[in-house]
Amino acid sequence: MKWIKERRLVLEAAREISDKKMVIGTWGNVSMRALNDPYMLITPSGMSYRSMSIDDIVVVDYDCNVIKGEWKPSVESPLHAALYKSKDRIHGIVHVHSPYATAFAVARRSIPVILEETAEVIGHEIPVLPYIQSGTIELAQKAAELIDGKRALLMANHGLIGVGKDLFQAMKVVQIAERTAMIAFLAENLGGAHVLDEEDTNDLYEKFRGYGQSKPKF
């Protein structure tokens, strides 16, 4: 079956964000570029991650027309498509509503670089998009404008987006972003978090680019 590898990776990532309680119910979404075609593969709209199968993953073009699949693609398909079209470097996208990162999105506060692992994996403060209703072209366009040079964005009153050169990297980005948000929140109760300066952040990011010996399984 064509696209079976990509569909399996999207399904595994979707189940991972569900298992890790980074989403509730059918919220959140996962996508990746097709390896050899001008399409993306994305989770369907309104379907439980636990009951979802490989065949349920939808293949769409970058105008969100369905190429293969019997279900409607995620309502956030325009957002994913806009990000892929804006940057060739993006090959995987994970969108979650994890509690600590979403708390920063609701407070409309950027997640600071307070951990070495944040610097190494993300490499920048995670900014907040202004509030725009989900599923809209306006949100997709704004996210595409601000993703330049970034690996994560917060959407005000909504959640977190992580992007990467593949789904493994995008997944790591949202996991580290959530951990950073949690520790920043806890540190505030101990007198405040101390942010790494830009020089150290850039140095750590460059030093750890490509770190690791193999791609982990989800």
Side-chain angles (χ1 to χ4, degrees):
M1 184 201 308
K2 195 171 185 181
W3 303 303
I4 189 168
K5 178 179 180 180
E6 296 101 315
R7 281 176 146 184
R8 180 179 290 114
L9 287 171
V10 171
L11 177 62
E12 289 173 354
R15 287 180 174 171
E16 175 73 3
I17 62 173
S18 178
D19 291 345
K20 297 291 186 184
K21 310 299 183 187
M22 301 185 85
V23 294
I24 294 175
T26 62
W27 280 269
N29 30 75
V30 174
S31 73
M32 70 173 287
R33 285 188 192 268
L35 298 178
N36 298 304
D37 297 290
Y39 305 135
M40 66 179 185
L41 297 94
I42 192 164
T43 46
S45 179
M47 184 176 291
S48 166
Y49 294 120
R50 297 318 307 170
S51 64
M52 198 180 294
S53 72
I54 289 175
D55 291 338
D56 295 323
I57 304 301
V58 188
V59 182
V60 301
D61 65 20
Y62 295 121
D63 292 319
C64 301
N65 299 305
V66 174
I67 303 300
K68 186 175 181 63
E70 60 178 308
W71 307 112
K72 291 181 180 179
S74 169
V75 295
E76 294 290 9
S77 293
L79 170 63
H80 290 246
L83 293 174
Y84 287 125
K85 287 193 289 187
S86 71
K87 295 296 171 189
D88 291 340
R89 66 178 172 86
I90 298 174
H91 284 257
I93 300 172
V94 179
H95 166 48
V96 296
H97 297 172
S98 50
Y100 286 95
T102 302
F104 274 80
V106 169
R108 303 191 185 184
R109 289 181 54 186
S110 298
I111 299 175
V113 182
I114 56 168
L115 304 173
E116 287 193 333
E117 62 203 83
T118 317
E120 293 160 4
V121 173
I122 299 173
H124 60 82
E125 178 182 85
I126 303 174
V128 189
L129 291 168
Y131 178 71
I132 304 169
Q133 286 189 13
S134 60
T136 62
I137 297 298
E138 185 183 0
L139 175 62
Q141 291 173 339
K142 192 65 176 178
E145 289 173 10
L146 295 186
I147 199 64
D148 187 38
K150 297 180 179 64
R151 284 149 288 284
L153 295 172
L154 292 170
M155 295 182 287
N157 301 84
H158 187 166
L160 169 70
I161 311 165
V163 306
K165 63 183 180 181
D166 52 37
L167 261 181
F168 298 102
Q169 188 178 71
M171 180 67 74
K172 185 181 289 187
V173 165
V174 296
Q175 290 171 335
I176 295 299
E178 174 66 4
R179 174 174 164 78
T180 304
M182 178 185 71
I183 293 173
F185 177 83
L186 295 173
E188 286 298 322
N189 294 314
L190 296 172
H194 294 274
V195 178
L196 290 175
D197 65 34
E198 186 175 357
E199 183 178 353
D200 283 325
T201 296
N202 292 338
D203 184 55
L204 286 163
Y205 180 74
E206 291 301 323
K207 187 181 295 183
F208 281 82
R209 290 181 75 171
Y211 176 75
Q213 299 183 36
S214 62
K215 291 181 179 179
K217 293 183 178 180
F218 292 122

